Every structure is written in structure tokens, then in C-alpha cells.
Amino acid sequence: MRVMVKELQEGCILSADVYSKTNCPIMKKNTVLNNELINILKLFLIHDVYVEKTLINGMPFTPIEVLEDLPDSKEKSEQAALRLSDMFLRAVKEYKREFKSWQAGLPINISRIREIILPLIEKAETSISEIFTLHHFSTKDDYIYQHPVAVAILSAFIAKKLNYNKGDIVQIALAGCLADCGMAKLSNAILFKKTSLTVNEFEEIKKHPTLSYKMVQKVSLLRDSTKLAIAQHHERLDGSGYPFGEKGNKIHFFAKIIGTADTFHAMTSERLYRSKQPPFKVLEMMSEDQFGKFDPVILKALMSGIMNFSNGSKVILSDGQVGKILFMDEKAPTRPLIQLLNSNEIIDLGKHRHLFINEVLTEAIR
């Protein structure tokens, strides 16, 4: 099939010789393309080529749209018309394609990962409330692809709240997205197991931060601090994490951000062998039940996101009652004052510890 050069990806196979202004082809039929060869085609100003419908890894080839080649005004208007959730679902589809290429042995295409993630973190800056609804889109079968994209968005949100500059925010988001790339080196039998993992299987899962680090080690567009964050994203302040059981200041701050985002999204998502839990409850568990594992400054930045569910937002409590938020204390955002809609009774969740907010009704999100 005939495709534009800008739509090519690593693993494409030429189905016809490619000529420029010479009698001899600059690339011959059956050449397997990598990024270097694709760049050569661009240098020769080749507009389109013929490729096989199947990649070298056996996967079908679907031409990809390169957002950076769109006119700025068109790109911005198209993205502005989309909700964050729509962009998230599209990004997951693209990430899934990349993940499958890693499973087939292809290296990470960091430019492609940037194209997937950058529009999302820009959109998220103006769609903060939507960030805290992304867990609704997690499904048991596709969680492994949805999780890294969501972690990238959440990590960027936290970094923004902590006043990191744009360059750092991008690196943190990329680290969040690639933290689990090493999962591609594990067997599908473990990745998609529908029952609880055995001890030995969990030990295999615990290898993924190291595998991820090895996959990104030679990616020049990632800083050393970003690569270290990927390696350490499952370490915890109290030394209970893995793979090395590092403690406190021995864990890079970027890794602490990603680890917090990773845990939050995992606990609020539907997974193959674990049920999801409400975001308000998860934040409370992370700050109380898992006290000492996460940096309190980072947790506070993450919690600030739910302050966007402001006074008047409708909520469903854990006992099924519906109410609206009357007052949210910045010091205890998971425990606001609630007025029940059926009785007008006012409940202080700070004094009713057995109750918690189960859901924020989406029509109340601003």
C-alpha cells in the first residue's frame, strides 16, 4: 500500500524500490525501516512510498497521523473540540500499538511517545476535574495500556502543582508513561492473568522497573534523572518498595511523584484481579493507612485536584445517599461537609469516619 513518509513507523517493510533523482534506488524493496532510514527518506524529500500491510513483527500496519505536521491553528482547534477523556482513549490506542511493538522486540520510539503524551498534558491543564474521572475508563482487559497514559497525566498534574518548569513536567510525564514499559518483556500469561498472582509470579512483576530502565537506558531524549525515576518508581520512603528497597532521600523526587500517581490510579481502577476503589477513599488510604510510604508534599499536591469538585458538587456517599458538598476544608479535602438531598440533613464526614464519598456525579464537574 502507498503511504506518506510522515506516517511510517519502525518495522515497516518496503514493497517497492524507492527512487530519488537517480537511476539507482536509494532503498530497495524488502528493506525493513527504522527511524534512521525513515529520516533518510525525509532528507531525500521522498513524499510517499509503498510498504507491506504487515510490520516486521507480524502486526498489521496502520498509518499514523503525525500531529506535529498539522497546521497549528487546525491542531489547536481539533484538540479544543475534544474532551480530555476522548484524547485519553485515543492516546491509549496509540500506546497499545507501541507496547505491542516492544513485545515484538522493537526499541522505544521516544518521538512517538512524546506525540502521544504532550497534547494530553497540555489539555489536562485546563481540564483538571476530568483528570480525576479517567479511572472510569479503565477496563480489566486494557488496564495495562490505560494505566501508563493515566500515570503520565497525573504525574504531570502533580509536577505542575509543585511549580516545576515545562521541561521538567514533560520529562516527568514521559517517565510516568514509560515506567511500565518493561512489562512488555513479561509473559502474557502473567500480564493478563485473571486470578491473584502467586508469589513467584509477583516476583516476576517486580522485575519490571529494572526491565523498564534497561529499555530507556540509551534513549538520548530522556534525562538521567528521568531514567532513574523509571527505575525507582516502586520504591517507597519507608524502604518497603522494590526493586532495591531504597529509603527517603535515596529515592529521586521524580520517582516519588510517579510512584504516587501510579498507586493512586492503580487503586482507583478496575483490574483483572482487584476491584477499583473511590478516589476520595484511596487518597485517604494513601495518607493514613499507608502513612510513611508517600511524600506528604506530593500527596497534598495530588489531593489539591479534588478541590476542583467545589461547593455545590453532587456526590454519592458509600451508603448510597446523594448529597452536595457544602464546605471543603483544604486541610481535610476528603472529608467535607455534605448536605443530603432527600432530607437536607448536614453530615460532617470528618466525624462520620464510616462514610466516605463514593462518587462525584459528572454533571457537577466544572
Side-chain angles (χ1 to χ4, degrees):
M1 60 180 173
R2 185 179 181 183
V3 299
M4 290 185 289
V5 168
K6 68 179 182 179
E7 294 179 317
L8 293 172
Q9 65 185 69
E10 285 194 318
C12 285
I13 307 168
L14 292 177
S15 60
D17 292 345
V18 179
Y19 291 85
S20 181
K21 296 180 180 179
T22 61
N23 292 327
C24 295
I26 60 172
M27 287 186 199
K28 288 189 172 289
K29 177 181 177 180
N30 295 328
T31 298
V32 179
L33 298 177
N34 56 26
N35 285 333
E36 183 179 8
L37 293 176
I38 294 171
N39 285 332
I40 289 174
L41 291 172
K42 292 177 180 178
L43 287 173
F44 274 90
L45 302 179
I46 304 298
H47 181 262
D48 53 68
V49 295
Y50 287 90
V51 298
E52 302 291 350
K53 294 181 179 180
T54 304
L55 297 172
I56 189 65
N57 60 16
M59 298 296 295
F61 170 53
T62 303
I64 55 177
E65 180 184 42
V66 184
L67 292 177
E68 65 184 13
D69 287 340
L70 293 172
D72 287 345
S73 59
K74 181 180 179 182
E75 179 181 346
K76 290 178 180 178
S77 62
E78 285 184 356
Q79 291 183 13
L82 292 173
R83 289 172 57 87
L84 177 62
S85 55
D86 296 320
M87 295 178 65
F88 171 74
L89 293 173
R90 293 185 181 188
V92 168
K93 183 178 179 181
E94 297 302 322
Y95 175 87
K96 183 176 182 178
R97 181 180 297 156
E98 297 303 305
F99 189 90
K100 289 185 177 294
S101 76
W102 305 333
Q103 287 182 308
L106 291 177
I108 289 172
N109 182 346
I110 192 63
S111 296
R112 185 69 192 119
I113 298 299
R114 283 174 60 91
E115 289 169 2
I116 293 170
I117 296 303
L118 292 188
L120 280 175
I121 63 177
E122 291 175 5
K123 183 70 173 182
E125 290 182 1
T126 57
S127 310
I128 294 175
S129 293
E130 265 201 282
I131 295 174
F132 291 84
T133 66
L134 293 180
H135 62 284
H136 287 304
F137 300 99
S138 289
T139 60
K140 291 182 178 181
D141 292 336
D142 279 346
Y143 169 80
I144 196 167
Y145 314 117
Q146 296 153 343
H147 180 65
V149 179
V151 171
I153 296 171
L154 286 163
S155 298
F157 168 78
I158 294 170
K160 177 77 172 178
K161 284 291 182 179
L162 295 176
N163 296 316
Y164 277 97
N165 62 44
K166 186 62 179 287
D168 285 338
I169 292 172
V170 170
Q171 288 287 313
I172 290 169
L174 291 174
C177 182
L178 292 171
D180 283 356
C181 66
M183 290 285 196
K185 303 304 178 184
L186 303 179
S187 72
N188 282 344
I190 292 178
L191 292 181
F192 299 103
K193 187 178 180 183
K194 295 184 178 181
T195 56
S196 297
L197 299 174
T198 65
V199 173
N200 288 338
E201 288 168 340
F202 185 58
E203 288 301 314
E204 286 296 305
I205 290 288
K206 287 167 69 174
K207 294 178 182 178
H208 81 268
T210 303
L211 294 171
S212 297
Y213 177 76
K214 289 179 179 178
M215 288 177 64
V216 303
Q217 196 169 9
K218 295 182 180 180
V219 177
S220 59
L221 291 179
L222 294 178
R223 301 175 190 167
D224 288 342
S225 57
T226 307
K227 297 171 185 177
L228 181 58
I230 288 171
Q232 292 185 329
H233 76 281
H234 273 292
E235 302 288 0
R236 297 294 176 260
L237 292 182
D238 60 2
S240 63
Y242 61 85
F244 303 113
E246 298 284 14
K247 293 183 178 181
N249 292 332
K250 290 187 176 181
I251 306 171
H252 196 281
F253 201 78
F254 286 9
K256 296 175 185 177
I257 290 175
I258 297 162
T260 302
D262 177 274
T263 300
F264 174 76
H265 184 258
M267 292 179 69
T268 56
S269 299
E270 195 72 30
R271 293 177 281 173
L272 284 171
Y273 51 90
R274 290 181 186 170
S275 298
K276 66 180 179 180
Q277 302 200 62
F280 281 74
K281 183 179 181 182
V282 168
L283 286 171
E284 198 166 278
M285 292 170 66
M286 291 176 68
S287 61
E288 296 179 7
D289 299 351
Q290 300 184 38
F291 179 77
K293 295 183 183 294
F294 304 99
D295 190 296
V297 173
I298 296 172
L299 268 178
K300 184 178 179 181
L302 180 59
M303 281 189 176
S304 71
I306 66 174
M307 297 295 287
N308 283 277
F309 300 115
S310 56
N311 297 343
S313 294
K314 293 182 181 179
V315 297
I316 301 176
L317 299 181
S318 53
D319 63 357
Q321 295 190 87
V322 179
K324 64 179 180 180
I325 297 175
L326 287 184
F327 175 74
M328 186 175 279
D329 187 347
E330 186 177 349
K331 295 180 180 179
T334 62
R335 293 279 162 186
L337 282 177
I338 302 292
Q339 183 177 30
L340 300 180
L341 296 187
N342 63 346
S343 65
N344 289 327
E345 178 186 356
I346 295 176
I347 296 178
D348 183 353
L349 292 186
K351 296 178 181 178
H352 293 75
R353 305 297 296 185
H354 64 290
L355 290 175
F356 55 86
I357 294 174
N358 194 55
E359 186 69 80
V360 177
L361 296 180
T362 54
E363 64 264 28
I365 297 174
R366 297 182 180 181

mmCIF file with all atom_site columns, all heavy atoms in Angstrom, residues 330-342:
data_model
loop_
_atom_site.group_PDB
_atom_site.id
_atom_site.type_symbol
_atom_site.label_atom_id
_atom_site.label_alt_id
_atom_site.label_comp_id
_atom_site.label_asym_id
_atom_site.label_entity_id
_atom_site.label_seq_id
_atom_site.pdbx_PDB_ins_code
_atom_site.Cartn_x
_atom_site.Cartn_y
_atom_site.Cartn_z
_atom_site.occupancy
_atom_site.B_iso_or_equiv
_atom_site.pdbx_formal_charge
_atom_site.auth_seq_id
_atom_site.auth_comp_id
_atom_site.auth_asym_id
_atom_site.auth_atom_id
_atom_site.pdbx_PDB_model_num
ATOM 1   N N   . GLU A 1 330 ? -9.454  22.637 53.147 1.00 0.00 ? 330 GLU A N   1
ATOM 2   C CA  . GLU A 1 330 ? -8.208  22.341 52.439 1.00 0.00 ? 330 GLU A CA  1
ATOM 3   C C   . GLU A 1 330 ? -7.329  21.370 53.223 1.00 0.00 ? 330 GLU A C   1
ATOM 4   O O   . GLU A 1 330 ? -6.570  20.594 52.647 1.00 0.00 ? 330 GLU A O   1
ATOM 5   C CB  . GLU A 1 330 ? -7.439  23.641 52.174 1.00 0.00 ? 330 GLU A CB  1
ATOM 6   C CG  . GLU A 1 330 ? -6.198  23.453 51.324 1.00 0.00 ? 330 GLU A CG  1
ATOM 7   C CD  . GLU A 1 330 ? -5.504  24.771 51.018 1.00 0.00 ? 330 GLU A CD  1
ATOM 8   O OE1 . GLU A 1 330 ? -6.101  25.830 51.281 1.00 0.00 ? 330 GLU A OE1 1
ATOM 9   O OE2 . GLU A 1 330 ? -4.378  24.719 50.505 1.00 0.00 ? 330 GLU A OE2 1
ATOM 10  N N   . LYS A 1 331 ? -7.450  21.398 54.551 1.00 0.00 ? 331 LYS A N   1
ATOM 11  C CA  . LYS A 1 331 ? -6.634  20.507 55.381 1.00 0.00 ? 331 LYS A CA  1
ATOM 12  C C   . LYS A 1 331 ? -7.166  19.075 55.390 1.00 0.00 ? 331 LYS A C   1
ATOM 13  O O   . LYS A 1 331 ? -6.439  18.147 55.734 1.00 0.00 ? 331 LYS A O   1
ATOM 14  C CB  . LYS A 1 331 ? -6.572  21.059 56.811 1.00 0.00 ? 331 LYS A CB  1
ATOM 15  C CG  . LYS A 1 331 ? -5.859  22.397 56.925 1.00 0.00 ? 331 LYS A CG  1
ATOM 16  C CD  . LYS A 1 331 ? -5.829  22.878 58.361 1.00 0.00 ? 331 LYS A CD  1
ATOM 17  C CE  . LYS A 1 331 ? -5.109  24.214 58.468 1.00 0.00 ? 331 LYS A CE  1
ATOM 18  N NZ  . LYS A 1 331 ? -5.089  24.733 59.864 1.00 0.00 ? 331 LYS A NZ  1
ATOM 19  N N   . ALA A 1 332 ? -8.434  18.908 55.062 1.00 0.00 ? 332 ALA A N   1
ATOM 20  C CA  . ALA A 1 332 ? -9.025  17.568 55.019 1.00 0.00 ? 332 ALA A CA  1
ATOM 21  C C   . ALA A 1 332 ? -9.992  17.479 53.849 1.00 0.00 ? 332 ALA A C   1
ATOM 22  O O   . ALA A 1 332 ? -11.203 17.337 54.028 1.00 0.00 ? 332 ALA A O   1
ATOM 23  C CB  . ALA A 1 332 ? -9.740  17.263 56.345 1.00 0.00 ? 332 ALA A CB  1
ATOM 24  N N   . PRO A 1 333 ? -9.480  17.558 52.615 1.00 0.00 ? 333 PRO A N   1
ATOM 25  C CA  . PRO A 1 333 ? -10.353 17.638 51.442 1.00 0.00 ? 333 PRO A CA  1
ATOM 26  C C   . PRO A 1 333 ? -11.200 16.391 51.204 1.00 0.00 ? 333 PRO A C   1
ATOM 27  O O   . PRO A 1 333 ? -12.208 16.469 50.513 1.00 0.00 ? 333 PRO A O   1
ATOM 28  C CB  . PRO A 1 333 ? -9.369  17.863 50.288 1.00 0.00 ? 333 PRO A CB  1
ATOM 29  C CG  . PRO A 1 333 ? -8.072  17.326 50.777 1.00 0.00 ? 333 PRO A CG  1
ATOM 30  C CD  . PRO A 1 333 ? -8.056  17.610 52.246 1.00 0.00 ? 333 PRO A CD  1
ATOM 31  N N   . THR A 1 334 ? -10.802 15.261 51.756 1.00 0.00 ? 334 THR A N   1
ATOM 32  C CA  . THR A 1 334 ? -11.591 14.041 51.544 1.00 0.00 ? 334 THR A CA  1
ATOM 33  C C   . THR A 1 334 ? -12.767 13.945 52.516 1.00 0.00 ? 334 THR A C   1
ATOM 34  O O   . THR A 1 334 ? -13.579 13.021 52.408 1.00 0.00 ? 334 THR A O   1
ATOM 35  C CB  . THR A 1 334 ? -10.717 12.775 51.714 1.00 0.00 ? 334 THR A CB  1
ATOM 36  O OG1 . THR A 1 334 ? -10.216 12.710 53.054 1.00 0.00 ? 334 THR A OG1 1
ATOM 37  C CG2 . THR A 1 334 ? -9.561  12.789 50.732 1.00 0.00 ? 334 THR A CG2 1
ATOM 38  N N   . ARG A 1 335 ? -12.847 14.904 53.450 1.00 0.00 ? 335 ARG A N   1
ATOM 39  C CA  . ARG A 1 335 ? -13.880 14.853 54.496 1.00 0.00 ? 335 ARG A CA  1
ATOM 40  C C   . ARG A 1 335 ? -14.661 16.167 54.570 1.00 0.00 ? 335 ARG A C   1
ATOM 41  O O   . ARG A 1 335 ? -14.641 16.879 55.587 1.00 0.00 ? 335 ARG A O   1
ATOM 42  C CB  . ARG A 1 335 ? -13.226 14.558 55.853 1.00 0.00 ? 335 ARG A CB  1
ATOM 43  C CG  . ARG A 1 335 ? -12.627 13.173 55.962 1.00 0.00 ? 335 ARG A CG  1
ATOM 44  C CD  . ARG A 1 335 ? -13.702 12.181 56.270 1.00 0.00 ? 335 ARG A CD  1
ATOM 45  N NE  . ARG A 1 335 ? -13.307 10.802 55.987 1.00 0.00 ? 335 ARG A NE  1
ATOM 46  C CZ  . ARG A 1 335 ? -14.150 9.781  56.082 1.00 0.00 ? 335 ARG A CZ  1
ATOM 47  N NH1 . ARG A 1 335 ? -15.404 9.995  56.420 1.00 0.00 ? 335 ARG A NH1 1
ATOM 48  N NH2 . ARG A 1 335 ? -13.760 8.569  55.802 1.00 0.00 ? 335 ARG A NH2 1
ATOM 49  N N   . PRO A 1 336 ? -15.392 16.535 53.518 1.00 0.00 ? 336 PRO A N   1
ATOM 50  C CA  . PRO A 1 336 ? -16.139 17.800 53.529 1.00 0.00 ? 336 PRO A CA  1
ATOM 51  C C   . PRO A 1 336 ? -17.466 17.695 54.280 1.00 0.00 ? 336 PRO A C   1
ATOM 52  O O   . PRO A 1 336 ? -17.878 16.605 54.700 1.00 0.00 ? 336 PRO A O   1
ATOM 53  C CB  . PRO A 1 336 ? -16.389 18.043 52.040 1.00 0.00 ? 336 PRO A CB  1
ATOM 54  C CG  . PRO A 1 336 ? -16.495 16.667 51.460 1.00 0.00 ? 336 PRO A CG  1
ATOM 55  C CD  . PRO A 1 336 ? -15.511 15.827 52.231 1.00 0.00 ? 336 PRO A CD  1
ATOM 56  N N   . LEU A 1 337 ? -18.110 18.849 54.420 1.00 0.00 ? 337 LEU A N   1
ATOM 57  C CA  . LEU A 1 337 ? -19.485 18.880 54.924 1.00 0.00 ? 337 LEU A CA  1
ATOM 58  C C   . LEU A 1 337 ? -20.426 18.550 53.770 1.00 0.00 ? 337 LEU A C   1
ATOM 59  O O   . LEU A 1 337 ? -20.294 19.102 52.675 1.00 0.00 ? 337 LEU A O   1
ATOM 60  C CB  . LEU A 1 337 ? -19.838 20.270 55.466 1.00 0.00 ? 337 LEU A CB  1
ATOM 61  C CG  . LEU A 1 337 ? -19.328 20.671 56.854 1.00 0.00 ? 337 LEU A CG  1
ATOM 62  C CD1 . LEU A 1 337 ? -19.740 22.107 57.156 1.00 0.00 ? 337 LEU A CD1 1
ATOM 63  C CD2 . LEU A 1 337 ? -19.863 19.733 57.926 1.00 0.00 ? 337 LEU A CD2 1
ATOM 64  N N   . ILE A 1 338 ? -21.382 17.656 54.011 1.00 0.00 ? 338 ILE A N   1
ATOM 65  C CA  . ILE A 1 338 ? -22.311 17.210 52.977 1.00 0.00 ? 338 ILE A CA  1
ATOM 66  C C   . ILE A 1 338 ? -23.745 17.473 53.415 1.00 0.00 ? 338 ILE A C   1
ATOM 67  O O   . ILE A 1 338 ? -24.118 17.179 54.552 1.00 0.00 ? 338 ILE A O   1
ATOM 68  C CB  . ILE A 1 338 ? -22.154 15.698 52.704 1.00 0.00 ? 338 ILE A CB  1
ATOM 69  C CG1 . ILE A 1 338 ? -20.716 15.357 52.288 1.00 0.00 ? 338 ILE A CG1 1
ATOM 70  C CG2 . ILE A 1 338 ? -23.150 15.236 51.640 1.00 0.00 ? 338 ILE A CG2 1
ATOM 71  C CD1 . ILE A 1 338 ? -20.307 15.891 50.948 1.00 0.00 ? 338 ILE A CD1 1
ATOM 72  N N   . GLN A 1 339 ? -24.542 18.027 52.512 1.00 0.00 ? 339 GLN A N   1
ATOM 73  C CA  . GLN A 1 339 ? -25.978 18.154 52.778 1.00 0.00 ? 339 GLN A CA  1
ATOM 74  C C   . GLN A 1 339 ? -26.722 17.116 51.956 1.00 0.00 ? 339 GLN A C   1
ATOM 75  O O   . GLN A 1 339 ? -26.625 17.080 50.732 1.00 0.00 ? 339 GLN A O   1
ATOM 76  C CB  . GLN A 1 339 ? -26.482 19.552 52.405 1.00 0.00 ? 339 GLN A CB  1
ATOM 77  C CG  . GLN A 1 339 ? -27.966 19.755 52.730 1.00 0.00 ? 339 GLN A CG  1
ATOM 78  C CD  . GLN A 1 339 ? -28.439 21.165 52.426 1.00 0.00 ? 339 GLN A CD  1
ATOM 79  O OE1 . GLN A 1 339 ? -27.918 21.822 51.527 1.00 0.00 ? 339 GLN A OE1 1
ATOM 80  N NE2 . GLN A 1 339 ? -29.403 21.650 53.171 1.00 0.00 ? 339 GLN A NE2 1
ATOM 81  N N   . LEU A 1 340 ? -27.441 16.235 52.653 1.00 0.00 ? 340 LEU A N   1
ATOM 82  C CA  . LEU A 1 340 ? -28.200 15.188 51.971 1.00 0.00 ? 340 LEU A CA  1
ATOM 83  C C   . LEU A 1 340 ? -29.381 15.801 51.239 1.00 0.00 ? 340 LEU A C   1
ATOM 84  O O   . LEU A 1 340 ? -30.088 16.655 51.778 1.00 0.00 ? 340 LEU A O   1
ATOM 85  C CB  . LEU A 1 340 ? -28.680 14.145 52.976 1.00 0.00 ? 340 LEU A CB  1
ATOM 86  C CG  . LEU A 1 340 ? -27.588 13.422 53.776 1.00 0.00 ? 340 LEU A CG  1
ATOM 87  C CD1 . LEU A 1 340 ? -28.209 12.417 54.744 1.00 0.00 ? 340 LEU A CD1 1
ATOM 88  C CD2 . LEU A 1 340 ? -26.604 12.721 52.850 1.00 0.00 ? 340 LEU A CD2 1
ATOM 89  N N   . LEU A 1 341 ? -29.589 15.366 50.008 1.00 0.00 ? 341 LEU A N   1
ATOM 90  C CA  . LEU A 1 341 ? -30.632 15.980 49.188 1.00 0.00 ? 341 LEU A CA  1
ATOM 91  C C   . LEU A 1 341 ? -32.033 15.554 49.593 1.00 0.00 ? 341 LEU A C   1
ATOM 92  O O   . LEU A 1 341 ? -32.989 16.304 49.438 1.00 0.00 ? 341 LEU A O   1
ATOM 93  C CB  . LEU A 1 341 ? -30.401 15.638 47.704 1.00 0.00 ? 341 LEU A CB  1
ATOM 94  C CG  . LEU A 1 341 ? -29.101 16.182 47.081 1.00 0.00 ? 341 LEU A CG  1
ATOM 95  C CD1 . LEU A 1 341 ? -29.095 15.914 45.579 1.00 0.00 ? 341 LEU A CD1 1
ATOM 96  C CD2 . LEU A 1 341 ? -28.936 17.677 47.341 1.00 0.00 ? 341 LEU A CD2 1
ATOM 97  N N   . ASN A 1 342 ? -32.181 14.339 50.119 1.00 0.00 ? 342 ASN A N   1
ATOM 98  C CA  . ASN A 1 342 ? -33.536 13.855 50.440 1.00 0.00 ? 342 ASN A CA  1
ATOM 99  C C   . ASN A 1 342 ? -34.057 14.376 51.768 1.00 0.00 ? 342 ASN A C   1
ATOM 100 O O   . ASN A 1 342 ? -35.263 14.402 52.015 1.00 0.00 ? 342 ASN A O   1
ATOM 101 C CB  . ASN A 1 342 ? -33.572 12.325 50.427 1.00 0.00 ? 342 ASN A CB  1
ATOM 102 C CG  . ASN A 1 342 ? -32.659 11.711 51.490 1.00 0.00 ? 342 ASN A CG  1
ATOM 103 O OD1 . ASN A 1 342 ? -31.815 12.403 52.056 1.00 0.00 ? 342 ASN A OD1 1
ATOM 104 N ND2 . ASN A 1 342 ? -32.818 10.437 51.740 1.00 0.00 ? 342 ASN A ND2 1
#
